[in-house]
Amino acid sequence: MAELRIYNNEMQQDIEEFYYKCFTDLGWGYEPNDRHSDTVNIQKEYMAKGCMWCLYEGDLLIGTVAVRNISVEDKEEKVAELKRMFMLKEYQGKGYGHLLLETAISYSRENGFDKMRLDSRKELRMAVHLYHKHGFAEIPVYNDNKSAELYMELKLN
């Protein structure tokens, strides 16, 4: 049975090994000193501005999801960003993605966010399908992520 846990510093080695495996399986390569630097700075990047959850089966990290506040200070709307939603390939299609996404959406609603945004890649078809199923709609580019091809938003209230 899988268990969802809020990130703590003791999970850092698991996190780095997890992303190395996920990104290598996708053919992207893991770059913790460059475009994946947020994965080695989770306290600063996610916990200080939101939350990160890790899904474990026993001692094995099998999935992650994070939310961070990307609201613009002079705007009234509070905007959450969905980040680092990944699942080990062998655990995909078992409903765990729904659990991770629903956890992130619930957190965002409970913390007064008006919308949730995300960026992704079209090749992540299962994830994109999941986002559509939960009500996300495509929007114009909202950030400077050069690796993203798809931008989506969910209205939370």
Side-chain angles (χ1 to χ4, degrees):
M1 184 72 176
E3 178 188 1
L4 196 57
R5 304 175 194 165
I6 292 177
Y7 171 84
N8 67 57
N9 290 335
E10 293 172 11
M11 299 173 177
Q12 189 59 45
Q13 184 174 344
D14 292 347
I15 291 275
E16 292 176 41
E17 291 170 2
F18 172 80
Y19 288 126
Y20 176 84
K21 180 164 180 31
C22 287
F23 297 155
T24 300
D25 285 351
L26 288 165
W28 299 350
Y30 180 49
E31 300 175 25
N33 296 318
D34 190 23
R35 65 187 180 125
H36 303 126
S37 63
D38 61 306
T39 66
V40 294
N41 295 300
I42 292 169
Q43 278 303 112
K44 178 181 166 229
E45 292 294 326
Y46 299 112
M47 301 308 286
K49 305 173 189 177
C51 196
M52 181 174 215
W53 298 266
C54 298
L55 187 62
Y56 279 86
E57 187 172 81
D59 291 335
L60 179 65
L61 178 58
I62 63 170
T64 63
V65 68
V67 172
R68 67 178 169 194
N69 185 344
I70 60 165
S71 304
V72 178
E73 284 186 37
D74 64 344
K75 303 278 185 196
E76 282 188 37
E77 266 186 336
K78 276 186 75 178
V79 182
E81 185 175 38
L82 183 75
K83 293 297 290 181
R84 298 299 174 209
M85 187 158 152
F86 285 94
M87 181 73 53
L88 291 179
K89 193 171 17 177
E90 56 270 28
Y91 289 89
Q92 293 175 4
K94 298 183 180 209
Y96 293 133
H98 287 282
L99 172 65
L100 292 172
L101 185 55
E102 288 167 6
T103 298
I105 291 170
S106 293
Y107 170 88
S108 299
R109 281 191 173 121
E110 290 166 11
N111 284 277
F113 288 96
D114 299 300
K115 351 172 142 163
M116 176 178 273
R117 289 184 174 167
L118 64 87
D119 60 43
S120 190
R121 296 178 61 94
K122 293 175 183 174
E123 69 188 275
L124 301 175
R125 287 187 289 282
M126 288 178 71
V128 172
H129 176 75
L130 182 65
Y131 301 143
H132 280 293
K133 193 171 182 178
H134 278 81
F136 282 84
E138 292 184 34
I139 60 169
V141 173
Y142 71 87
N143 65 23
D144 61 356
N145 183 352
K146 294 175 182 70
S147 299
E149 305 168 312
L150 185 65
Y151 301 83
M152 301 180 87
E153 180 176 277
L154 174 68
K155 295 191 183 340
L156 297 171
N157 50 14

